[in-house]
Amino acid sequence: SRLFVRNNLALPEPGIVEDRGAWTVELGGQPTTLAALQRLGTRSVATVLQCSGNGRGFFEHGPSGSPWRTGAAGCVIFGGVPLSAALASVGADLDAPYVTVTGGDPLPADVAPRDVVVERSVPAAYALRHAILAWELNGAPLPRVHGGPLRFVVPGYFGCNQVKWLRRIAMTASTSDAKIMRSGYRFRPIGEAGSEGQPSMWAMPVKSWITSPLGIVEAGRVVVRGVAMGGTEPLARVEVAVLREGQEAPRWAAAAFTGPDLGRFAWREVSATLDLAVGERARVVLRATTAGGATQPEHRRENHRGYGHNGWRDHGVTLRACAPGDASCRETE
């Protein structure tokens, strides 16, 4: 129930979810209904849903867009039919380098459709192995605000590729010419316009951040908790470091995985125990590493829109330890 909402256009009317089974989607040029897709069976996948701009609030040049820090991410379970099974059910030809997906967002009448339509292309080799057409979120019918009745889900990819109110899927020889694909969601230098030659915001990188505590704590033994994700890879380990005053180089120690392992695309909850003295102020940071050896960098990669931030230094928290029973422990920072 606590999941960020990010849309490029206005929400469709509430009636869009009144008769879910009748929802139509074009697959490889063939129309079908949600009811027909549901007869193919359901597969569930736990995955991190994260906006490309999660972490944008740390960038000093003030990029446009929502100034998220860590709030534009959640770990959810989508249920639906695998993309490969859905396309096979209509006899679609799967021999193309890209899967191009079109959403059913209502388009404003005074703007050229290709400038605003939500249509994204992703590499077919990856999507045919992992993507699903989802009609459930955490075991319940997919809410309208999150793309119901039908959403395209590519586990391990940024949220801009999880196209809502799914209307069309095509195997294509090239990526879409829609503006959101042609120049939008591109990793580009500050001040440079978006273009097709720049990296598209597809796969998410390895990342972690602390969720609690976030400010003042009682001195002594402190349990720090956080989450970590591997993007398209499973996690191998997460480490914690305490940067005390005057200390720049971290001394990494192992953090413990806690809670369930829901698979390679889900995040893992982690925890570590620290000792802080009365009056001490310390910066606590996490660093995650995947099974393939990818490790979080120390710093963000500067870019125009503040995309893809996974630097561990910004995502740390500063804790101040007060004496047990001190009234200031009830304050917040």
Side-chain angles (χ1 to χ4, degrees):
S1 63
R2 294 186 178 185
L3 183 62
F4 76 100
V5 175
R6 171 69 175 92
N7 297 316
N8 284 283
L9 296 171
L11 275 174
E13 293 297 321
I16 198 171
V17 293
E18 288 180 358
D19 187 0
R20 293 173 179 268
W23 180 261
T24 59
V25 57
E26 182 184 305
L27 302 177
Q30 301 296 317
T32 190
T33 64
L34 176 52
L37 292 174
Q38 290 174 325
R39 288 194 287 271
L40 299 176
T42 304
R43 177 186 295 176
S44 295
V45 60
T47 184
V48 174
L49 183 65
Q50 179 179 213
C51 177
S52 304
N54 197 36
R56 177 184 286 133
F58 295 108
F59 285 77
E60 294 178 358
H61 71 283
S64 63
S66 301
W68 314 103
R69 288 201 167 209
T70 58
C75 189
V76 298
I77 301 174
F78 284 110
V81 64
L83 169 66
S84 55
L87 290 171
S89 73
V90 296
D93 184 358
L94 305 185
D95 188 18
Y98 297 101
V99 176
T100 295
V101 185
T102 310
D105 311 64
L107 304 182
D110 56 346
V111 183
R114 301 306 289 172
D115 285 347
V116 291
V117 65
V118 178
E119 184 173 275
R120 294 282 296 171
S121 300
V122 295
Y126 185 88
L128 290 171
R129 290 199 306 272
H130 302 296
I132 69 170
L133 280 57
W135 54 76
E136 289 182 354
L137 178 67
N138 295 334
L142 185 64
R144 174 178 64 116
V145 72
H146 291 303
L150 191 63
R151 181 173 188 168
F152 186 69
V153 173
V154 194
Y157 275 36
F158 281 110
C160 57
N161 304 288
Q162 326 294 341
V163 175
K164 304 182 187 77
W165 313 296
L166 183 60
R167 279 300 193 188
R168 179 177 177 268
I169 296 179
M171 304 296 297
T172 58
S174 59
T175 57
S176 171
D177 65 352
K179 185 177 181 180
I180 195 173
M181 187 73 215
R182 187 179 68 251
S183 59
Y185 291 100
R186 297 285 176 169
F187 194 93
R188 51 192 167 106
I190 297 173
E192 188 171 308
S195 69
E196 292 179 274
Q198 300 154 344
S200 188
M201 298 306 296
W202 282 334
M204 295 186 292
V206 60
K207 186 173 183 177
S208 65
W209 62 90
I210 293 169
T211 56
S212 70
L214 300 177
I216 299 175
V217 297
E218 280 196 0
R221 188 61 53 90
V222 177
V223 178
V224 174
R225 295 181 173 85
V227 293
M229 49 172 281
T232 59
E233 298 182 35
L235 287 167
R237 65 182 183 275
V238 179
E239 299 162 291
V240 62
V242 181
L243 300 175
R244 291 180 165 85
E245 188 174 354
Q247 176 191 347
E248 279 298 313
R251 300 185 184 96
W252 297 106
F257 288 120
T258 60
D261 181 354
L262 298 179
R264 64 186 281 188
F265 303 115
W267 68 31
R268 294 295 306 272
E269 294 174 300
V270 299
S271 68
T273 303
L274 315 173
D275 288 302
L276 297 178
V278 174
E280 185 174 13
R281 185 183 296 267
R283 185 77 174 169
V284 183
V285 294
L286 294 177
R287 183 179 68 174
T289 300
T290 70
T295 299
Q296 281 182 264
E298 179 176 358
H299 299 292
R300 60 184 176 265
R301 293 174 60 199
E302 300 295 343
N303 67 96
H304 189 79
R305 292 300 307 275
Y307 287 151
H309 185 5
N310 69 331
W312 55 257
R313 187 170 287 273
D314 278 349
H315 284 89
V317 298
T318 299
L319 302 181
R320 181 168 68 85
C322 62
D326 187 337
S328 67
C329 274
R330 294 192 294 271
E331 298 174 359
T332 59
E333 288 188 344

